[in-house]
Amino acid sequence: MHLTAPAARRTGIQDTDGMAVASFVLGLLGLLVLNVFLGPIAIALAAVALRRGTDRRGRAWLGLALGVADLVVLAAFMHADGTVSWSV
């Protein structure tokens, strides 16, 4: 016997909310490791989430900012080392 009501279909909004959270997490991780890959992915996910109208706009904006920060950190370390990559 099934006593619960069927769940509302919010697949599209949940997808965009997930993209916003993923962009935030990847942007944060990108500050530590693999920023050349994670930064652009965070930027792309945040842009798509914002364009599709996510409910988590703050997270998406933070993910966008962190993705840009990843690339700025990469550029700063590359300039300081004079190489194409950097290591801690």
Side-chain angles (χ1 to χ4, degrees), residues 2 18 25-26 54 65 69 82:
H2 193 71
V25 171
L26 291 177
T54 182

Side-chain angles (χ1 to χ4, degrees), residues 14-41:
Q14 287 177 347
D15 288 346
T16 58
D17 290 349
M19 284 183 206
V21 173
S23 72
F24 173 73
V25 171
L26 291 177
L28 200 57
L29 281 174
L31 289 173
L32 302 173
V33 294
L34 298 172
N35 51 3
V36 70
F37 299 111
L38 297 180
I41 293 171

Side-chain angles (χ1 to χ4, degrees), residues 47-71:
V48 170
L50 287 168
R51 184 164 173 86
R52 290 186 181 178
T54 182
D55 290 336
R56 297 182 183 218
R57 295 185 63 78
R59 249 315 127 97
W61 282 109
L62 282 173
L64 183 65
L66 287 169
V68 170
D70 292 345
L71 298 179

